[in-house]
Amino acid sequence: MEAGTARRPRSAIEEALRAIAALPRAADLPQAPRRFRDDGLGAWVVPVLPGEVYVTDQREHLMTVLGSCVSTCVRNPATGAGGMNHLVLPDAQRPVRALACDGLASLDRLLDRVLAYGGRAEQLEIKVFGGGRVIGGHTDIGRTNVAAVHDYLASRGLAIAGSDVGGGVARRLRYEPHTGRAVIRRIVLQGT
């Protein structure tokens, strides 16, 4: 830095983007699902991490935690297959070293993988969650994420059957693809 030049403080958005850029690339993540047995639920639970897509035709529960990120949950009641993605930022907003499977391409993968079990797109039940305003500042990343997902689904002619998005809360989401049941626990963050 040259003498006499003041360093500009980083905004919360810049800090968040740097943190996201520091996440491992999808190729660096383990390929086998990290699942565990929850005896209280009587089911296997699969955590879906930022940038991931997971689809199953088993009686598994999918779980994630969302702040400004958005998860789209898709199932086909006719085939019993369903899954979830965890979108961090839509394509135009991603930093250079973003997760390789993130962005709206993860929605393509989610839909393609559910439809690979059979059925037609008009049979799909789609729910959208997250997109909270959990980072202070002038930009609402959550709103941007929700709008991108809504625009994408509308462009494919796909209706949203249910959603819980926006607001100043984070969410813990548990989704059961075999039934379509979603359980949300809202987490109020201090200072938002």
Side-chain angles (χ1 to χ4, degrees):
M1 179 171 11
E2 295 179 5
T5 322
R7 184 171 182 211
R8 182 176 66 94
R10 293 182 185 163
S11 73
I13 300 281
E14 290 171 325
E15 290 296 327
L17 290 174
R18 280 190 170 70
I20 291 167
L23 292 170
R25 295 176 189 261
D28 301 334
L29 296 172
Q31 296 304 307
R34 299 146 312 280
R35 50 192 262 179
F36 59 91
R37 181 79 183 166
D38 185 320
D39 292 329
L41 293 173
W44 287 96
V45 177
V46 179
V48 179
L49 301 177
E52 290 186 340
V53 174
Y54 186 78
V55 173
T56 183
D57 66 348
Q58 304 299 307
R59 296 182 77 76
E60 297 172 308
H61 293 227
L62 310 184
M63 187 175 286
T64 197
V65 177
L66 303 163
S68 57
C69 298
V70 173
S71 280
T72 303
C73 300
V74 177
R75 80 181 190 111
N76 186 335
T79 64
M84 170 195 293
N85 76 337
H86 186 135
L87 183 139
V88 178
L89 291 169
D91 301 320
Q93 300 291 319
R94 289 188 297 163
V96 174
R97 191 179 181 273
L99 295 166
C101 67
D102 188 34
L104 294 174
S106 71
L107 276 169
D108 278 331
R109 270 191 305 288
L110 174 61
L111 294 168
D112 289 347
R113 289 178 185 174
V114 172
L115 290 172
Y117 284 88
R120 296 178 317 278
E122 59 270 11
Q123 295 173 308
L124 299 179
E125 177 185 87
I126 300 170
K127 298 179 180 179
V128 180
F129 303 97
R133 185 174 189 141
V134 297
I135 300 173
H138 298 292
T139 303
D140 188 345
I141 295 173
R143 182 181 296 190
T144 301
N145 286 343
V146 170
V149 169
H150 282 192
D151 290 348
Y152 172 88
L153 293 171
S155 75
R156 300 258 326 237
L158 299 171
I160 297 173
S163 68
D164 184 351
V165 298
V169 297
R171 292 166 174 83
R172 182 174 179 198
L173 167 64
R174 184 172 47 86
Y175 178 65
E176 303 170 35
H178 59 283
T179 65
R181 182 172 181 243
V183 177
I184 299 288
R185 183 172 150 233
R186 289 176 190 82
I187 305 163
V188 178
L189 305 173
Q190 293 180 356
T192 57

